[in-house]
Amino acid sequence: MRFRAGAAIKRRTGETTRIKPKTKNFTMKKNTWSVASVSTLLVMIAIIIVVNLIGLRLFARADLTDNKIYTLSDASKRLVSNLEDRLTVKAYFTRDLPPPYNANARYVNDALEDYRSYSNGHFHFEFIDPADEEALEKEAQQYRVQPAQVNVVEKDNLQVKKVYMGLVLIYGDKHETIPIIQNVDNFEYEMTSTIKRLTAEKLPKIGFLGNFNTPDLGQEMRNATTALSRFYEVVPVNTMTGSELIPDDIDVLCIVQPETPFDDWTKFCIDQFIMRGGKVGWFMNKVNADASSSVATGIHLNIDDMTRKFGFSVADNLVTDAHASMINVQSQQGFFMVRNLVRYPAFPEIRTFNPESQIVKDLQAVAMFFPSSVDTLTPVGGSVSFKPLMFSSDKSKVQRNSYDINPMNRADASVFIDPPQMLGVSIEGTFGSFFEGKSVPAPADSNAMAPSIGILTSSPETRMVVFGEGNFVQDQYMQGGSSNLILFLNSIDWLSQDSDLLTIRSREAAIRPLDPDISDQTKQTVKLANLLGPPVLILLFGAYR
């Protein structure tokens, strides 16, 4: 009997059965699959490398944020596309920055690429590591780009490293510096506002009315005036000396928190400023209040007769709200002084804004401090349109004549039954003069003579904003990046008709507070969901895969 190689014979009742060599065939399939797998893997790795190399030159992103804060705005595109000369940006960034600053460097590079792509060839930038040469480090410091100290973990040791993360923008014989970029959340606003200031022939002039116990610009309003000074020339306005009217070169006049009555000459100066087309921002409380002493008194400004001529008045009241900010209150319990966090109705938290107004449409929440409501009426001798800006909630309470602001007096929710109160309004149109048919009043300065001038009786098209609150502009109520500061700067931008900065700045003001009326259990549930939800979803997806 013959046998073939690789075959086996099994004898059973005279029959023979041939068994195929399965082991050898199985081994051949396994080797074939391994080669295909390795080939596929190598091809995929090559594709990923090529895509990443292309991505270094060309990039795209999907911006899923509500306000598209990671997409270059139309205002920025328009600004760089209108450049008339070469704009050079030197980005002084240390190479191989530690996390999270390395991500910031890549973000800045991508953003600068965006600016360059829309500049018609006028925008240029380069990244420079000052550590490469001593001359480069001196150059960076001459431009006021100073090194920062950051903590770095290297070889399991915590070390302090000197790094550079700043920009200088050069346009003609002028330059502007962004000394350090530690946070990229408002990078576009920083860049566009700097370019705008650098390329402007002259800065618009913003005047602040002095005297009348208004806040001091250098002490009580430093945050606001410092922020304004980046885009405007800020000057004080004095109507109490001499007989000069408000200068013609002032674009916007701000009247912030006066506390003493206006004299007729000052009213005349404001009136004629408006008649010449000047814009005015009114930030006025009608209640002088102090939360620490729980004392509040009304303020009489002797100006309501004139403002009614312009179509508005700030009411003699105090608007409180069940939806309010929290404050720390100190109370004595036995031998101890205890601090409690309580909701203070005299500090309403405003969340109702007019989405059709550029000033407030992207704001989520601002805090007001002892506000009064604003009333509007049809003016005589003018033609204006009103646009409400913001309202208190539907759980408001309006106090008149006497004011209870004691934070320890916990008001029951049932007392907040007044409808929403308008706390701000913008006004556009032509205005009639309060002094039409009257004589020029004598100056407040007794040594000055009344000027021989004609009274302008009607204005060209102009603008006003009115808030029944002036505290929010002051430092003690305002933090550098707060929505209150954004509200103030937006108001000035709108008055000066600089809508570009207004639209960019507001995109950064996304605040999503929880409803203050939800239960503690719901708050805890939301907190746990935010904490545990993402990792749980990833684990479930991994288990499914």
Side-chain angles (χ1 to χ4, degrees):
M1 183 179 292
R2 293 182 178 180
F3 300 97
R4 293 184 181 180
I9 303 296
K10 181 178 180 181
R11 295 182 180 273
R12 181 181 298 168
T13 61
E15 295 180 359
T16 62
T17 303
R18 182 179 180 184
I19 303 174
K20 294 183 179 180
K22 295 183 179 179
T23 303
K24 185 175 181 180
N25 289 341
F26 175 77
T27 302
M28 291 176 63
K29 289 182 180 178
K30 183 176 181 180
N31 291 340
T32 303
W33 172 251
S34 297
V35 171
S37 299
V38 171
S39 300
T40 303
L41 182 61
L42 291 175
V43 171
M44 291 177 65
I45 292 173
I47 291 173
I48 292 172
I49 293 174
V50 171
V51 169
N52 277 275
L53 289 174
I54 295 174
L56 293 175
R57 296 291 181 183
L58 303 173
F59 67 94
R61 63 172 71 96
D63 191 345
L64 304 181
T65 58
D66 286 345
N67 296 329
K68 304 299 179 186
I69 61 175
Y70 296 109
T71 302
L72 207 62
S73 68
D74 291 339
S76 297
K77 296 174 185 177
R78 184 167 56 252
L79 179 64
V80 293
S81 66
N82 291 330
L83 289 172
E84 297 178 353
D85 202 351
R86 180 187 177 98
L87 174 64
T88 301
V89 178
K90 292 187 176 183
Y92 294 100
F93 271 75
T94 299
R95 191 179 295 110
D96 298 326
L97 284 167
Y101 306 109
N102 55 348
N104 292 352
R106 180 57 189 270
Y107 177 92
V108 170
N109 182 81
D110 290 349
L112 294 179
E113 286 281 7
D114 275 355
Y115 278 98
R116 179 164 63 182
S117 64
Y118 292 103
S119 69
N120 297 322
H122 287 119
F123 187 99
H124 304 266
F125 73 92
E126 59 179 329
F127 271 73
I128 302 170
D129 185 355
D132 288 345
E133 298 179 22
E134 185 178 351
L136 293 177
E137 190 164 15
K138 289 182 178 179
E139 179 184 88
Q141 295 180 10
Q142 285 175 351
Y143 283 124
R144 295 184 297 108
V145 178
Q146 298 295 331
Q149 304 282 342
V150 299
N151 294 328
V152 183
V153 177
E154 291 184 353
K155 298 180 180 179
D156 297 328
N157 292 320
L158 181 64
Q159 301 178 4
V160 177
K161 185 176 181 180
K162 183 178 75 173
V163 300
Y164 285 86
M165 299 180 291
L167 302 178
V168 60
L169 291 79
I170 304 170
Y171 187 76
D173 59 351
K174 299 187 294 183
H175 72 271
E176 291 281 350
T177 302
I178 303 177
I180 188 167
I181 302 170
Q182 290 183 305
N183 190 317
V184 297
D185 289 345
N186 62 345
F187 179 72
E188 184 190 356
Y189 173 69
E190 289 280 348
M191 274 294 297
T192 299
S193 60
T194 302
I195 295 171
K196 196 174 185 69
R197 183 169 66 254
L198 191 61
T199 57
E201 294 183 4
K202 70 170 187 174
L203 297 178
K205 190 174 288 188
I206 310 298
F208 283 81
L209 183 67
N211 301 302
F212 309 102
N213 205 25
T214 53
D216 183 85
L217 295 182
Q219 298 296 325
E220 298 164 287
M221 292 183 56
R222 182 176 298 178
N223 284 341
T225 54
T226 299
L228 274 181
S229 297
R230 300 181 58 197
F231 323 109
Y232 304 98
E233 182 181 352
V234 178
V235 297
V237 173
N238 185 2
T239 60
M240 303 301 288
T241 58
S243 59
E244 298 294 325
L245 297 177
I246 296 172
D248 291 338
D249 62 347
I250 290 181
D251 298 275
V252 176
L253 176 66
C254 293
I255 302 173
V256 180
Q257 188 73 359
E259 295 181 353
T260 58
F262 281 55
D263 60 276
D264 287 343
W265 172 253
T266 297
K267 291 163 67 174
F268 178 73
C269 290
I270 297 171
D271 177 277
Q272 292 299 287
F273 175 76
I274 295 170
M275 295 307 109
R276 297 198 307 267
K279 288 90 173 175
V280 181
W282 308 81
F283 305 87
M284 304 194 304
N285 287 68
K286 282 299 191 73
V287 177
N288 188 354
D290 182 2
S292 60
S293 64
S294 301
V295 174
T297 57
I299 300 175
H300 176 63
L301 297 176
N302 187 35
I303 202 172
D304 290 346
D305 53 353
M306 183 176 77
T307 62
R308 290 192 187 97
K309 179 72 175 181
F310 302 145
F312 75 92
S313 67
V314 178
D316 296 313
N317 62 27
L318 175 65
V319 178
T320 59
D321 198 324
H323 293 171
S325 301
M326 306 289 286
I327 65 170
N328 276 308
V329 176
Q330 184 173 282
S331 61
Q332 187 165 356
Q333 295 184 6
F335 296 103
F336 302 99
M337 297 300 294
V338 179
R339 287 187 175 274
N340 297 309
L341 197 62
V342 300
R343 198 169 298 281
Y344 192 42
F347 287 0
E349 191 173 80
I350 308 304
R351 300 182 186 177
T352 305
F353 301 97
N354 184 355
E356 296 181 357
S357 169
Q358 284 185 304
I359 299 174
V360 297
K361 70 181 181 69
D362 290 322
L363 293 175
Q364 303 297 321
V366 297
M368 296 282 105
F369 309 93
F370 308 113
S372 301
S373 62
V374 179
D375 300 324
T376 59
L377 62 156
T378 303
V380 178
S383 176
V384 301
S385 61
F386 302 97
K387 185 172 287 185
L389 299 179
M390 59 190 192
F391 294 87
S392 62
S393 77
D394 56 1
K395 295 182 179 180
S396 299
K397 178 184 178 183
V398 180
Q399 300 183 28
R400 298 178 178 87
N401 300 322
S402 62
Y403 311 103
D404 178 11
I405 62 168
N406 189 338
M408 300 307 295
N409 293 341
R410 307 290 181 85
D412 188 85
S414 61
V415 304
F416 295 97
I417 58 175
D418 289 324
Q421 303 294 307
M422 185 171 66
L423 302 179
V425 64
S426 62
I427 311 173
E428 293 183 86
T430 58
F431 300 86
S433 172
F434 174 68
F435 287 88
E436 183 177 3
K438 302 176 183 177
S439 58
V440 177
D445 186 348
S446 59
N447 296 321
M449 299 291 293
S452 299
I453 55 175
I455 297 177
L456 300 176
T457 58
S458 62
S459 78
E461 191 80 17
T462 188
R463 296 179 168 190
M464 295 183 189
V465 293
V466 184
F467 292 94
E469 217 278 71
N471 287 312
F472 80 93
V473 183
Q474 301 179 51
D475 289 352
Q476 63 176 320
Y477 299 101
M478 179 188 291
Q479 297 179 351
S482 71
S483 295
N484 289 26
L485 179 60
I486 293 173
L487 173 63
F488 175 68
L489 296 178
N490 280 357
S491 300
I492 303 303
D493 288 343
W494 183 82
L495 288 170
S496 66
Q497 297 178 313
D498 191 340
S499 58
D500 287 352
L501 288 179
L502 188 153
T503 56
I504 300 172
R505 183 191 298 115
S506 296
R507 298 201 306 167
E508 309 300 336
I511 302 173
R512 301 284 194 274
L514 293 176
D515 189 325
D517 293 332
I518 65 175
S519 65
D520 292 338
Q521 181 61 40
T522 303
K523 292 179 183 177
Q524 189 67 20
T525 302
V526 172
K527 180 179 179 180
L528 291 174
N530 282 324
L531 181 66
L532 302 176
V536 168
L537 289 175
I538 292 173
L539 289 173
L540 291 175
F541 178 75
Y544 170 76
R545 291 293 298 170

